Amino acid sequence: MLSSVGLRFLREFFIRRPMIIFDFDGTLVPISSNRDRVQLHELTRALIHRLSLWTSVAVVSGREISDLIKKFPDSNQLIFSGNHGGEVRVSKRIYNSPEQDRARRHLEAFLKELNGFQLRKTHFTSTLENKGLSLTFHWRDSEPALALAWDLQIRHLTDRMGGFRVIPGI
């Protein structure tokens, strides 16, 4: 329970309507080796909803925005940014841009090139996640030598094709 001074401070703070931004994986939910099974705790969902009645709240993630929105049913007041900022939804409206169309085409070309790699044909299965605007390679459960081989292949291909950034994760 907050003191009267604490409540007054919070009211003054929220009068200015700041935006509070939460990362999804690793902040609102624990990092998991099975990203599809991650569930947002009901109390967390309720607290974020309640906070959004006081101020602007955004949830950002590397996940596709459609996946992120599914985690927050009935939360039209939240702002969502998925796919590392490539997708945005504000008040039920998902914003699209010509850059997204170009990124999708470039990613399709990248995948065609990637499919030609011998490593792809022999070792790589469900650890590649195509998010439409980005690709994520989940190395967490891979053997270190295989992860290194893939890292080198990906970096070689991104250097050759241009227009991509490799962003290491945890």
Side-chain angles (χ1 to χ4, degrees), residues 10-11 17 19 64 90 107 113 130 164-165:
L10 280 176
R11 282 189 190 103
R17 194 86 179 154
M19 178 182 286
E64 283 182 88
V90 179
L107 188 62
E113 290 288 323
N130 182 351
F164 290 99
R165 290 183 300 152

Side-chain angles (χ1 to χ4, degrees), residues 7-137:
L7 282 173
R8 190 167 11 119
F9 172 79
L10 280 176
R11 282 189 190 103
E12 290 173 10
F13 177 78
F14 285 113
I15 284 173
R16 289 177 252 138
R17 194 86 179 154
M19 178 182 286
I20 299 176
I21 303 170
F22 295 97
D23 186 22
F24 187 74
D25 291 288
T27 302
L28 295 178
V29 298
I31 295 287
S32 172
S33 59
N34 188 337
R35 64 182 307 284
D36 295 328
R37 290 193 180 156
V38 168
Q39 294 296 318
L40 184 64
H41 193 279
E42 284 301 319
L43 179 59
T44 304
R45 184 181 289 115
L47 289 171
I48 288 175
H49 174 73
R50 189 167 181 193
L51 183 61
S52 72
L53 300 175
W54 285 40
T55 193
S56 299
V57 176
V59 179
V60 301
S61 179
R63 293 173 179 260
E64 283 182 88
I65 201 163
S66 59
D67 185 28
L68 191 58
I69 291 169
K70 287 177 195 172
K71 306 291 184 186
F72 293 88
D74 303 322
S75 56
N76 296 324
Q77 72 283 3
L78 296 179
I79 298 166
F80 292 102
S81 177
N83 225 319
H84 304 284
E87 300 172 299
V88 175
R89 188 194 89 168
V90 179
S91 301
K92 289 188 178 181
R93 181 173 177 211
I94 295 178
Y95 291 86
N96 294 305
S97 69
E99 291 83 11
Q100 289 173 322
D101 294 334
R102 282 193 297 277
R104 282 186 181 90
R105 288 191 302 273
H106 200 55
L107 188 62
E108 287 172 17
F110 184 89
L111 284 170
K112 283 181 183 176
E113 290 288 323
L114 186 63
N115 282 328
F117 287 179
Q118 185 63 32
L119 201 55
R120 168 85 171 145
K121 294 175 184 171
T122 58
H123 298 291
F124 206 62
T125 57
S126 62
T127 56
L128 170 65
E129 181 186 359
N130 182 351
K131 300 178 188 179
L133 293 178
S134 66
L135 292 174
T136 298
F137 295 88

